Amino acid sequence: MKIIPIYTESKKNQQGHTIFIDEHTEKSYKALHKESNQWVYWIGFFAILAIMRSIQSIHIPLSLISIIIIFTSLLVLTVLVSRIVYKHLFYEEVKEIYLTNTMIEKYIEDGKSVYKMEVWIAILSFLIFVILTIIFFINLSLVILIFSIFLFFIFCLMMKRLPLARIKLYHKGK
């Protein structure tokens, strides 16, 4: 089953949800967003800040081939982790809902604004990733490598929300 996100709603103080449509059967589904724990974010933020401060002056004294192998391995690992995170940490159970074609078309139309924002986030995260990667290969700073990989992680998450079928679906409606 390959489902395409067509509409996402996330309002403050309410549990958000995403409406999906099956690419082949055209059945519709709804998944509630998992509630986020703010304590986890704050603890993670300060832990990452402490780690970054402690490694800010570390440079990687390896050969260029070794650095390229490590960097490529980190990219592959990031792609795999982003798939797991997207699949298991964003949504609760996906349940089938019954929508008419008119309702689906309205959700697709309303979802275009979120789609545009997601495309911009993907483009910006990729461009900054490329810039940071170039800077990393110039000065071999571990902090820049971590930021670069983090931006690639965001890019990979956004690409999970932007499958080719979704792009075709939105452009078909124009």
Side-chain angles (χ1 to χ4, degrees):
M1 171 171 72
K2 180 160 178 156
I3 55 176
I4 306 164
I6 59 169
Y7 175 77
T8 299
E9 184 174 291
S10 187
K11 293 181 180 176
K12 193 171 184 169
N13 298 327
Q14 291 182 2
Q15 187 174 20
H17 67 275
T18 298
I19 305 293
F20 297 92
I21 188 167
D22 189 309
E23 182 178 18
H24 302 292
T25 64
E26 296 189 12
K27 291 182 179 179
S28 51
Y29 300 89
K30 180 178 182 178
L32 297 176
H33 298 172
K34 287 192 176 179
E35 301 256 347
S36 60
N37 186 343
Q38 292 298 315
W39 284 103
V40 172
Y41 287 121
W42 286 110
I43 290 170
F45 173 75
F46 287 115
I48 294 294
L49 188 63
I51 291 169
M52 297 300 259
R53 300 250 324 142
S54 66
I55 65 170
Q56 69 185 5
S57 62
I58 296 176
H59 292 277
I60 304 171
L62 298 172
S63 69
L64 183 60
I65 300 296
S66 301
I67 291 172
I68 291 173
I69 291 170
I70 290 170
F71 186 76
T72 305
S73 301
L74 285 173
L75 292 182
V76 170
L77 182 66
T78 302
V79 168
L80 296 174
V81 169
S82 69
R83 289 178 140 193
I84 293 169
V85 166
Y86 182 79
K87 189 173 187 177
H88 297 290
L89 297 181
F90 280 176
Y91 303 113
E92 291 180 2
E93 183 181 356
V94 178
K95 296 181 181 182
E96 185 175 0
I97 57 174
Y98 304 99
L99 301 175
T100 64
N101 285 339
T102 307
M103 294 170 76
I104 291 172
E105 289 173 14
K106 182 169 179 0
Y107 277 125
I108 290 172
E109 189 62 37
D110 292 345
K112 285 183 180 179
S113 61
V114 173
Y115 164 75
K116 289 176 184 176
M117 181 185 67
E118 289 172 345
V119 168
W120 277 110
I121 291 171
I123 290 169
L124 286 174
S125 63
F126 185 75
L127 288 175
I128 296 171
F129 158 74
V130 169
I131 291 168
L132 287 177
T133 299
I134 292 167
I135 293 171
F136 165 71
F137 279 105
I138 291 171
N139 73 3
L140 303 179
S141 170
L142 195 55
V143 172
I144 293 176
L145 173 65
I146 291 170
F147 277 125
S148 176
I149 295 299
F150 177 72
L151 284 165
F152 187 68
F153 177 73
I154 291 172
F155 172 73
C156 290
L157 287 176
M158 296 312 297
M159 293 312 292
K160 292 296 291 174
R161 296 228 0 117
L162 298 170
L164 190 56
R166 182 179 181 194
I167 295 168
K168 288 178 183 176
L169 182 71
Y170 284 129
H171 288 293
K172 180 174 70 172
K174 286 186 177 180

